[in-house]
Amino acid sequence: MSHPEDHSRGHGGHSGGLFPIIPPPTAGSAVDPVCGMTVDPATARASYVHEGQTYYFCCPSCKQRFEADPQRYLAPAPAPPAPAPAAPGAVYTCPMHPEVREDHPAACPLCGMGLEPVGGAPPATKLEYVCPMHPEVVSDHPGTCPKCGMALEPRTVMLEEGPDPELTDMSRRFAIGLVLSLPLLVLAMGEMVPGLPGRHLLEAVPSWVQLVLATPVVFWAGWPFFVRAAASIVHRSLNMFTLIALGVGAAYFYSLAAVLLAPTEFLPAGFRMHGKPDAPPMLYFESAAVITVLVLLGQVLEIRARSRTSAAIRRLLGLAPRTARVVRPDGGEDDVPLEAVKPGDLLRVRPGEKVPVDGVVTEGRSAVDESMISGEPIPVEKEPGSRLLGGTVNGTGTLLMRAERVGSDTLLAHIVRMVSEAQRSRAPVQRLVDRVSAYFVPAVLLVALLTFAAWAVWGGEGRLAQALANAVAVLIIACPCALGLATPMAIMVGTGRGAESGVLFRNAEALEILQKADTLIVDKTGTLTEGKPRLVDIEPAAGFSADELLRLAAGLERGSEHPLAAAIVKGAEAKGLPPAEARDFQAVTGKGVVGVVEGRRVALGNAALLADQGIRVDALQPRLEALRAEGQTVMLAAVDGRLAGLLAVADPIRDTSPEAIQQLHAEGLRIIMVTGDSRTTAEAVARRLGIDEVIAEVLPQDKGAVVKRLQEEGRIVAMAGDGINDAPALAQAHIGIAMGTGTDVAMESAGVTLVQGDLRAIVRARRLSRATMRTIRQNLFLAFIYNTLSIPIAAIGILTPVLASAAMSLSSLSVVGNSLRLRRQAF
């Protein structure tokens, strides 16, 4: 478990009980005997010699406590209850405080929440648990968050979800607490119910019966709340469980004192009914028990609701098949577990089956449904050379594929990993919540004390008992659970919803910033265009046919590795014109290529190349200029010293780009194209798409400077690109958007990845960003307005402790329910 350096952030080694679990020290290290933290003797902030042994401490306050009573910390402490069985290799973290990590189930020492598993993409070798509200708190076993007391949840979501130990424990405590609290409620309140049979007999039931019924509810069913409250005090991070424990404890111990002291003169009249010395004491056993049961009910409902936030990840995990059909070198085929597939294996995907891993089609044709990953409903045609993604569904044809990426390297695993990490990240708006929460609980304690004092001084008959009840109501109603859940719940649901739409957010900050962007910079090649040059036009000169011109040009270009050459060769193959062999091939830098094809001297390049050979191009000059104005790259051909014609190659604009640009303009974004291509080509593409501004002929290293200049002008810049050359600009922008069809470097540099590489997904991502931030603001409003209104109502005595407990649980559930609405919205 990694720990902060001082008590302001909390100690580690704590499993949620009252005593630290001291881990064995590593070589060259020591263990603080007070808090169990591992410290380096060379950098320890304090030390103390006791009975000839030197002990090292993480801070002076630990040393002071040790000096006062060394035996307390050296004697074996009572072992806390054994934690729930942990998943093999798990690491747990607090969802609210991800810097707190454990290798076993525990409570977060800072907020008391149970730690939850966290980890990478499946198949995970180490399951970790994280706090749903403080994802920096991590442990490898279930437990509670030391900052907020919430139960930790798995950061690695598993496909087959086993029983939640926290939910099982809380449900059992709730059920038993409810059984004992119902008769207690009847005994305490039954005489107030008109027409209740035997109502007069209830007054004869001795008060110790209430004590017997309430004690197991408070100290067994409610024991986790006291454990988490103790941890919050030890680690100086007061939270909702601090208030609950104080409220329930005050009600119970007051009632206990009243039962024990009732026959004596030691119980003041102010604690008796009607304020008379001979009146029976006012008991609040039912309040202590019912508050405990209601809080347990709230915990059960909240844990169930939080588990629904991982549904998106679980659906993604369900896409991967369990087995793959491997084709052996001898032609035989075997079904093997997916984990046994290695890069380079030849796999067969039959009709209706899921593609097991990422790879390339080597044989066969089919349409593959990729909607579960990309969000696009139309199946994609696949042929030899096409890429396949693991988890997608094959159509009616049989495909033979070669595996390239397996296990945690597949796109599906990458998606699951990104969504998991994004769900546990913290949005910038959370900083405001953290600052408010730091002062909130102490302020509530002060209000509760003032409430007790005011009622004790100015109350009427039984004023001391009423003062205690109202102070307890203030403590219970003000629990800040809803405030803490407001942001994390919305982030978890929003990022999961984005994954289902083919939009991956790297972290919560990206989700928050995207909706603020006012300028979108786009690269041309691979973003607006397909990134694959294609032969689009052939214009033969007099005396030559189009097929003859293409066959000779393709034969010459077979010796070139230039992308334009590949486009001409593919164009010839598509027309059934196999390129001939070329001899004496020569590349002329900056001009083109020359060689001998089928015994004929062929030259292919720009006008300067033909001019060097004394060939005039006037006859094709008008067509040449027209094609260039359309953004096409034109090459002139000459055969045996005669002008043979021209060939035009272009990088086609994506079919979806015009619609995407229109939708982005509707979103109020200014769109700027930044490209290294020629200005003529770039402006032609910009005119067709209606792009606002073009910055052409930009070197890769200068793209980041363009982004920086726009930022200095006060613009919130989003940058969309797909190549290695775009990575610096993606990192420089306020929010980088990578095409999922591009390079891994681009995706690692970006805050958002579009799985399908379709710019229309930016519109979906922006709408999702706005909806998520709107939900966060709604949640914060609900939490703030709830506490603002409820605390004074409880202080003036309108709310009883029981009603306050019910209202507190409902406030948390309202925030959870409001966040879950994002799952049903369309983007």
Side-chain angles (χ1 to χ4, degrees), residues 180-204:
L180 295 175
S181 296
L182 287 177
L184 179 59
L185 193 61
V186 171
L187 288 175
M189 312 294 290
E191 59 187 51
M192 303 179 187
V193 181
L196 182 69
R199 184 176 57 160
H200 62 285
L201 299 176
L202 296 177
E203 298 180 0

Side-chain angles (χ1 to χ4, degrees), residues 556-572:
L556 182 62
E557 291 286 25
R558 283 187 62 180
S560 174
E561 297 180 353
H562 196 281
L564 298 180
I568 292 175
V569 173
K570 287 184 179 179

Side-chain angles (χ1 to χ4, degrees), residues 695-763:
I695 303 176
E697 300 174 359
V698 178
L699 296 175
Q701 61 267 28
D702 294 334
K703 287 186 177 182
V706 173
V707 174
K708 190 173 183 180
R709 175 176 60 80
L710 291 169
Q711 291 173 328
E712 290 172 349
E713 294 175 2
R715 296 186 175 275
I716 307 298
V717 180
M719 166 74 188
D722 73 328
I724 294 175
N725 61 329
D726 296 321
L730 291 170
Q732 174 66 42
H734 290 102
I735 179 73
I737 304 172
M739 303 292 118
T741 51
T743 64
D744 291 342
V745 175
M747 288 187 279
E748 291 298 326
S749 303
V752 179
T753 297
L754 310 181
V755 174
Q756 191 67 12
D758 184 351
L759 285 176
R760 292 177 300 178
I762 296 180
V763 180

Side-chain angles (χ1 to χ4, degrees), residues 202-240:
L202 296 177
E203 298 180 0
V205 177
S207 56
W208 60 262
V209 175
Q210 294 188 40
L211 171 62
V212 170
L213 290 172
T215 299
V217 177
V218 171
F219 290 105
W220 180 80
W223 181 246
F225 306 148
F226 289 99
V227 170
R228 298 173 186 186
S232 73
I233 295 172
V234 169
H235 299 286
R236 303 180 186 178
S237 181
L238 305 182
N239 54 58
M240 62 172 285

Side-chain angles (χ1 to χ4, degrees), residues 544-563:
F544 293 89
S545 68
D547 286 354
E548 179 186 14
L549 174 61
L550 179 57
R551 188 183 70 253
L552 293 173
L556 182 62
E557 291 286 25
R558 283 187 62 180
S560 174
E561 297 180 353
H562 196 281

Side-chain angles (χ1 to χ4, degrees), residues 422-657:
Q423 287 189 338
R424 302 304 177 189
S425 62
R426 309 184 77 187
V429 70
Q430 183 67 28
R431 300 185 192 121
L432 171 63
V433 178
D434 291 343
R435 287 196 296 269
V436 172
S437 299
Y439 298 99
F440 183 76
V441 174
V444 169
L445 293 174
L446 179 60
V447 172
L449 289 174
L450 293 176
T451 299
F452 180 88
W455 279 90
V457 174
W458 292 295
E461 293 183 348
R463 60 183 182 276
L464 293 179
Q466 191 61 40
L468 178 65
N470 292 338
V472 169
V474 168
L475 292 173
I476 299 300
I477 198 72
C479 287
C481 185
L483 184 62
L485 284 170
T487 299
M489 283 298 303
I491 293 296
M492 293 172 73
V493 179
T495 51
R497 183 68 179 83
E500 295 176 341
S501 303
V503 178
L504 306 180
F505 290 94
R506 177 167 298 280
N507 50 43
E509 184 176 7
L511 185 65
E512 180 174 341
I513 293 177
L514 182 58
Q515 49 104 27
K516 300 178 181 178
D518 55 29
T519 302
L520 174 64
I521 295 178
V522 292
D523 181 40
K524 181 181 77 69
T525 306
T527 302
L528 295 172
T529 65
E530 294 179 1
K532 299 176 181 178
R534 194 166 61 197
L535 180 66
V536 295
D537 203 353
I538 305 172
E539 296 280 348
F544 293 89
S545 68
D547 286 354
E548 179 186 14
L549 174 61
L550 179 57
R551 188 183 70 253
L552 293 173
L556 182 62
E557 291 286 25
R558 283 187 62 180
S560 174
E561 297 180 353
H562 196 281
L564 298 180
I568 292 175
V569 173
K570 287 184 179 179
E573 292 174 346
K575 287 180 173 290
L577 302 172
E581 292 291 336
R583 295 184 295 106
D584 301 330
F585 177 84
Q586 181 183 359
V588 182
T589 304
K591 295 181 180 181
V593 294
V594 295
V596 177
V597 181
E598 297 180 349
R600 307 171 74 178
R601 187 72 179 174
V602 180
L604 184 65
N606 55 25
L609 177 66
L610 270 63
D612 290 346
Q613 301 184 21
I615 302 172
R616 298 180 61 87
V617 298
D618 297 347
L620 294 176
Q621 191 66 36
R623 185 59 178 161
L624 174 67
E625 297 298 333
L627 292 174
R628 283 179 174 172
E630 294 176 4
Q632 299 180 19
T633 300
V634 182
M635 289 167 283
L636 295 163
V639 178
D640 294 332
R642 295 171 52 202
L643 180 64
L646 60 81
L647 298 95
V649 174
D651 184 4
I653 294 176
R654 291 178 181 269
D655 295 336
T656 59
S657 291

